[in-house]
Amino acid sequence: TSHSNGNSDSFVKMPTIKFTKLFINGKFVDSISGKTFETIDPRTEEAITRVAEGDEEDIDLAVKAAREAFDNGPWPRLSGFDRGRIMMKFADLIDEHAEELAALDTIDAGKLFGEGKAGISQSANMLRYYAGAADKIHGEVLKMSREFHAYTLREPIGVVGHIIPWNFPTSMFLGKVSPALAAGCTMVVKPAEQTPLSALYYAHLSKLAGIPDGVLNVVTGFGPTAGAAISSHMDIDAVSFTGSTEVGREVIQAAAKSNLKTLSLELGGKSPLIIFDDADLDKAAELALLGILYNKGEVCVASSRVFVQEGIYDEFVKKLLEKKKSWTVGDPFDPKVRQGPQIDKKQFDKILSYIEHGKREGATLLTGGKPLGHNKGYYIEPTFFTDVKEDMLIAKDEIFGPVMSLMKFKTIDEAIKKANNTTYGLAAGVMTKDLNVANTVSRSIRAGIIWINCYFAFDRDLPFGGYKMSGFGRDFGLDALYKYLQVKSVVTPIFNSPW
Ligand code: ADP
């Protein structure tokens, strides 16, 4: 690994911060308490700015605005086609500001600036995809067994709460907001406290695009206060949450204790990548590297457990180390850099303590294991462990950092058994040229997405979500649209039906 610590100042592209207040009912407002909090640049460990700290009473105001917009406002009553046109305009405005938005995610989350710009436009396509679906929402005509005419309506579910994580501030925001807008819902979004900046910018652009006041509200703040106020609110009809399994449990409990709101939860993962003897070794090493290092390992589908068949194990490890040499960690504005800083001090410390734990438990540290370079910034070396046993903490817990656990296997049955030996079930990868092996593994792994000879292949039309303790419900694709709609059956007699 090389560390780009040359003149990192030359890469510090500080965008002007324009929006730091809560966005409620079409206006930027201070929090009722007047409190603000710092958002930190993980490259420098310094505050970028202060942002309004929303709490329960601010969430309540936002929900009132969303409720009014749902019950009496134009948005749910517009034709799907007209909603779609406004969403298209929103997407165009995002494209026009892609560079500035990408810079905000870089300083707030340490994301690669180069990838960010393209990523912003890809995320804007979420709006376009669901805009195209907005006028194709319809029910069915049903043939009942008796003389009735029956049909179903698909109606928007109502006021939606979106609770968003910090690792993909833009794609999570647009991935959740777009289908809900298309469905005709109104909403309150709580971005993660680590990454509030781009969400507020999207709120501003939504207003310019013509999304009516109260439809899309953004309340920045912390999880146990603003976040919990969403999951326990009596007047929110559905919550879409992405975050840790631990917090997912709290969201379920809050929903159960309040109004039984509909939930979809996209939670943690410990995804396996299984590499068979016949795999293209070069590609396998590349994908294993990317699978754990992309976005500094802060990816819920990261391939944190790599299972390699014994015949190619040694050669694979050699290739992996070779490829790692050209992987550069450093300032995410530097176009040569592949890996920026971890999101914050808490995450940085947590990853390092997992690494220490792995060493104590007897895993072999193949490479990495330390903070990197500067005395400033949350940079961690790509870290690979071999001789990892299934019951070690580093093989079981979601670390959410650049830490790979390598394990050996002999047979396909053993690989399947080991890969499934996790409480999670978000994603899996399998590398082989043998179609039977690929098919068998795909159907045997309990996970929401299986990548055969690829990894991280996502698209807006591909439903995404978890099996097991990785949660339930799907983001993206038409599945995500349907979670913001509910079905009503309508029945009427045709002739002289008895009742
Ligand atoms: P991480 O541990 O990776 O930070 P979290 O699950 O804590 O992930 O955070 C994901 C999102 O959930 C963030 O927006 C956070 O503020 C929010 N959150 C955290 N705690 C709660 C809670 N008790 N109730 C609702 N939302 C929460």
Side-chain angles (χ1 to χ4, degrees):
T1 317
S2 54
H3 189 215
S4 155
N5 62 358
N7 180 6
S8 65
D9 280 352
S10 59
F11 304 116
V12 180
K13 292 188 189 164
M14 227 31 184
T16 317
I17 310 295
K18 296 177 184 152
F19 308 104
T20 59
K21 295 186 179 186
L22 315 178
F23 187 76
I24 298 178
N25 210 14
K27 289 178 198 62
F28 282 103
V29 294
D30 290 317
S31 61
I32 291 174
S33 70
K35 282 204 241 168
T36 57
F37 65 100
E38 284 183 336
T39 182
I40 307 286
D41 185 337
R43 301 172 306 155
T44 59
E45 308 182 24
E46 280 159 21
I48 302 164
T49 185
R50 299 190 72 92
V51 174
E53 182 183 335
D55 203 334
E56 199 178 340
E57 46 196 352
D58 304 289
I59 293 290
D60 204 43
L61 270 188
V63 174
K64 283 204 172 77
R67 176 52 62 189
E68 174 61 24
F70 187 76
D71 288 347
N72 300 309
W75 190 251
R77 288 158 196 87
L78 280 179
S79 69
F81 188 77
D82 285 337
R83 277 201 302 276
R85 282 162 69 129
I86 295 173
M87 291 171 68
M88 293 281 193
K89 179 133 189 251
F90 187 8
D92 290 346
L93 286 168
I94 293 171
D95 274 343
E96 279 171 35
H97 296 85
E99 179 144 340
E100 203 174 343
L101 285 159
L104 287 179
D105 282 349
T106 300
I107 58 170
D108 226 6
K111 297 181 79 68
L112 298 185
F113 178 66
E115 272 179 15
K117 257 192 317 186
I120 301 280
S121 292
Q122 265 173 34
S123 296
N125 283 338
M126 288 278 179
L127 280 165
R128 298 189 178 99
Y129 170 79
Y130 288 106
D135 59 354
K136 295 162 196 78
I137 295 167
H138 52 71
E140 294 173 313
V141 176
L142 302 168
K143 188 159 184 344
M144 288 177 61
S145 57
R146 285 173 288 144
E147 294 300 308
F148 291 94
H149 169 56
Y151 62 94
T152 57
L153 294 171
R154 285 191 192 274
E155 299 184 331
I157 201 159
V159 175
V160 177
H162 299 291
I163 303 176
I164 299 204
W166 41 261
N167 57 341
F168 290 96
T170 285
S171 62
M172 281 290 122
F173 184 95
L174 293 173
K176 286 195 190 294
V177 160
S178 305
L181 284 174
C185 292
T186 62
M187 61 209 73
V188 178
V189 186
K190 196 205 81 64
E193 53 271 31
Q194 294 89 343
T195 55
L197 297 178
S198 58
L200 294 173
Y201 205 119
Y202 291 120
H204 159 71
L205 295 178
S206 75
K207 174 142 182 154
L208 286 187
I211 292 184
D213 291 353
V215 172
L216 173 55
N217 305 276
V218 178
V219 177
T220 48
F222 292 93
T225 50
I230 288 180
S231 41
S232 62
H233 205 287
M234 288 301 291
D235 212 18
I236 289 182
D237 299 294
V239 164
S240 171
F241 169 83
T242 298
S244 58
T245 295
E246 197 184 11
V247 175
R249 279 182 202 279
E250 290 184 37
V251 171
I252 294 178
Q253 278 169 359
K257 284 186 186 144
S258 54
N259 64 344
L260 300 177
K261 53 183 70 63
T262 301
L263 295 180
S264 71
L265 306 175
E266 198 262 273
L267 308 175
K270 193 73 185 174
S271 298
L273 172 62
I274 309 171
I275 301 165
F276 286 90
D277 278 344
D278 67 338
D280 175 336
L281 209 58
D282 210 54
K283 193 162 178 200
E286 222 155 76
L287 290 184
L289 195 79
L290 195 71
I292 193 62
L293 300 184
Y294 173 67
N295 205 47
K296 341 137 212 176
E298 293 171 349
V299 185
C300 49
V301 293
S303 60
S304 45
R305 295 181 300 144
V306 178
F307 297 97
V308 185
Q309 205 162 13
E310 59 182 0
I312 52 158
Y313 186 88
D314 293 338
E315 209 187 325
F316 174 82
V317 168
K318 228 170 73 194
K319 267 241 176 328
L320 193 63
L321 287 175
E322 213 175 275
K323 292 210 179 280
K324 206 204 86 172
K325 283 186 198 141
S326 57
W327 186 269
T328 310
V329 184
D331 190 311
F333 277 111
D334 180 344
K336 287 192 303 293
V337 160
R338 305 291 305 276
Q339 181 187 327
Q342 309 303 136
I343 185 75
D344 62 10
K345 174 93 168 84
K346 187 176 141 215
Q347 203 57 32
F348 177 80
D349 289 342
K350 184 178 146 196
I351 296 164
L352 292 174
S353 92
Y354 270 115
I355 293 172
E356 287 314 307
H357 208 281
K359 289 196 261 183
R360 274 205 310 277
E361 278 183 309
T364 305
L365 184 65
L366 184 68
T367 180
K370 293 190 301 299
L372 224 170
H374 306 301
N375 41 17
K376 262 198 327 190
Y378 305 121
Y379 298 94
I380 295 182
E381 287 179 335
T383 300
F384 305 158
F385 280 106
T386 54
D387 303 317
V388 178
K389 304 274 177 309
E390 282 175 275
D391 58 350
M392 290 180 181
L393 215 55
I394 55 168
K396 287 199 293 197
D397 283 14
E398 180 177 51
I399 299 175
F400 231 59
V403 184
M404 182 196 295
S405 288
L406 278 156
M407 289 169 267
K408 219 183 266 188
F409 71 91
K410 286 194 178 80
T411 64
I412 178 169
D413 289 343
E414 184 190 349
I416 290 168
K417 197 157 161 253
K418 286 186 165 169
N420 275 331
N421 184 13
T422 169
T423 54
Y424 293 116
L426 207 47
V430 50
M431 306 283 304
T432 178
K433 294 194 186 85
D434 187 327
L435 201 55
N436 290 333
V437 170
N439 285 334
T440 304
V441 172
S442 304
R443 283 163 192 248
S444 310
I445 302 289
R446 297 185 63 209
I449 188 164
I450 312 285
W451 286 300
I452 302 170
N453 294 328
C454 60
Y455 211 81
F456 289 143
F458 277 117
D459 209 351
R460 51 194 168 266
D461 58 1
L462 203 60
F464 170 66
Y467 278 39
K468 295 154 79 179
M469 280 167 71
S470 292
F472 47 81
R474 296 290 177 265
D475 280 326
F476 314 148
L478 290 181
D479 289 63
L481 182 65
Y482 292 136
K483 78 182 181 184
Y484 300 113
L485 294 164
Q486 55 192 342
V487 177
K488 179 183 278 175
S489 292
V490 183
V491 187
T492 181
I494 295 178
F495 306 113
N496 261 341
S497 302
W499 45 277

